[in-house]
Amino acid sequence: MKASNLCIITLAITTSFGVLAKDANAPVSDAVISEQRQELAENTEDEGFGPQSPRDIDSKAGNNTTLFSTAPSYTEMNLCNIHFHKNAEHKGGEFTVYAGNGDGEGYHTGYRYSGKLSDAELSPVKNKVCPSKHGDLKPGDTIEVHYVHSTAQVEPGPTLGACLSDANKNPQLRVETQVYVLVNDKNAYDFEELTEHEVQDGVHQAVAIPTNTGKPIQYMGSTTGPGYNEKGSPFQVTWSVRPKVAKVNIETVGEWCEGNAFDEEHAHGVRNLVVNKDLLSEIVN
């Protein structure tokens, strides 16, 4: 084979691999998200699933009338888990900018802070923050933090399993939700302080959830996460989602990821926003 022909073939193969690599990192099409939503609709139809999460908290409409008791105030329940998702799973309030379709598996999608940040707040930091195979966190990123509470007699720990006990496998669950935007600012909230917890009046409590980010939107829903993009979550959850975003010092998030009671090291992926009204409860507050 002539050397010139060999070079042409090599160049073609190299170019093909380059295209494949680029395509592998590209966001999935709208058709993929639509297909996932169709699968969710088909897999839940007439199966008795209760209302699902996440949702647009600015839209009150919902046709799912499955009833379950509203969980008590979180101050009467045990904090059992804290974790966060990169980009907000919910939409509404001050987090309405769509991050794109992502990889179809919950990463690089969701909703971002819709406000403005200064150049100083967006300036890079030296170290990688909460790195994973899906990337690390950077100034300007949005995270949605879930403070999960249970009526079971449990202590704070890793995963949803920490919210269940041998004596109570079906407790009432409540998620107090706060969306944060990460900034390079030592005067912003300290994430380690925001996640502090202690026993108060006989129950484990997150003692520093912000109280200045608007009246929480309360609704009946489910657990979240991309594992439920095509199937319903069977868990019944009372949600309280604060509509305003708080700024948090990104370096303190990195410090938290290096060691905490919940074994959390990086951001979780997000579930597709649930838009099928048959899978949403009506927001009444």
Side-chain angles (χ1 to χ4, degrees):
M1 182 179 293
K2 292 183 178 180
S4 59
N5 290 340
L6 180 61
C7 288
I8 292 172
I9 293 172
T10 302
L11 178 60
I13 293 173
T14 302
T15 302
S16 297
F17 278 122
V19 170
L20 287 174
K22 182 178 180 181
D23 288 345
N25 293 323
V28 298
S29 67
D30 291 347
V32 171
I33 304 301
S34 295
E35 183 177 345
Q36 289 178 335
R37 286 184 167 136
Q38 181 61 33
E39 287 289 325
L40 176 63
E42 293 176 358
N43 291 334
T44 54
E45 187 176 9
D46 298 327
E47 294 295 329
F49 280 94
Q52 300 290 295
S53 301
R55 67 178 296 158
D56 184 341
I57 60 171
D58 290 338
S59 175
K60 295 186 176 183
N63 299 333
N64 192 297
T65 57
T66 301
L67 297 177
F68 57 92
S69 298
T70 301
S73 167
Y74 75 92
T75 58
E76 302 173 14
M77 305 173 71
N78 279 305
L79 175 76
C80 53
N81 181 258
I82 299 176
H83 64 273
F84 67 86
H85 301 255
K86 182 177 178 179
N87 297 322
E89 289 198 289
H90 289 83
K91 175 188 177 184
E94 294 182 340
F95 36 97
T96 58
V97 178
Y98 187 47
N101 292 337
D103 63 359
E105 297 180 358
Y107 295 95
H108 312 297
T109 186
Y111 292 86
R112 295 173 176 159
Y113 174 50
S114 50
K116 301 292 185 182
L117 298 173
S118 70
D119 291 341
E121 289 173 324
L122 292 170
S123 60
V125 292
K126 294 181 180 179
N127 300 320
K128 287 190 175 182
V129 176
C130 306
S132 74
K133 65 180 181 180
H134 300 289
D136 57 338
L137 299 176
K138 293 179 170 54
D141 282 343
T142 299
I143 62 172
E144 179 173 309
V145 178
H146 294 165
Y147 300 83
V148 190
H149 297 76
S150 171
T151 53
Q153 293 184 17
V154 292
E155 298 181 353
T159 77
L160 183 62
C163 304
L164 315 177
S165 70
D166 291 339
N168 189 351
K169 298 293 187 183
N170 188 33
Q172 289 179 288
L173 299 172
R174 175 182 283 276
V175 179
E176 296 296 315
T177 305
Q178 177 63 58
V179 176
Y180 298 100
V181 61
L182 310 184
V183 294
N184 188 355
D185 182 359
K186 295 186 183 301
N187 293 318
Y189 276 113
D190 184 317
F191 195 69
E192 293 192 289
E193 292 180 2
L194 291 169
T195 54
E196 286 182 351
H197 51 91
E198 60 186 49
V199 176
Q200 292 187 343
D201 297 327
V203 290
H204 292 275
Q205 291 286 285
V207 295
I209 301 175
T211 58
N212 60 349
T213 49
K215 180 182 178 182
I217 305 300
Q218 182 169 291
Y219 77 94
M220 313 307 281
S222 69
T223 52
T224 61
Y228 293 113
N229 276 344
E230 298 178 4
K231 64 181 181 179
S233 165
F235 293 96
Q236 298 175 336
V237 179
T238 301
W239 285 84
S240 292
V241 185
R242 290 152 181 79
K244 294 183 179 181
V245 173
K247 296 178 180 179
V248 66
N249 179 358
I250 186 172
E251 292 186 352
T252 64
V253 178
E255 291 166 359
W256 187 79
C257 281
E258 291 174 0
N260 54 77
F262 312 99
D263 293 343
E264 294 290 329
E265 300 176 345
H266 56 266
H268 294 249
V270 307
R271 185 185 188 182
N272 293 338
L273 196 73
V274 179
V275 297
N276 180 352
K277 288 185 173 55
D278 290 339
L279 292 175
L280 295 174
S281 61
E282 182 182 8
I283 297 177
V284 296
N285 69 331

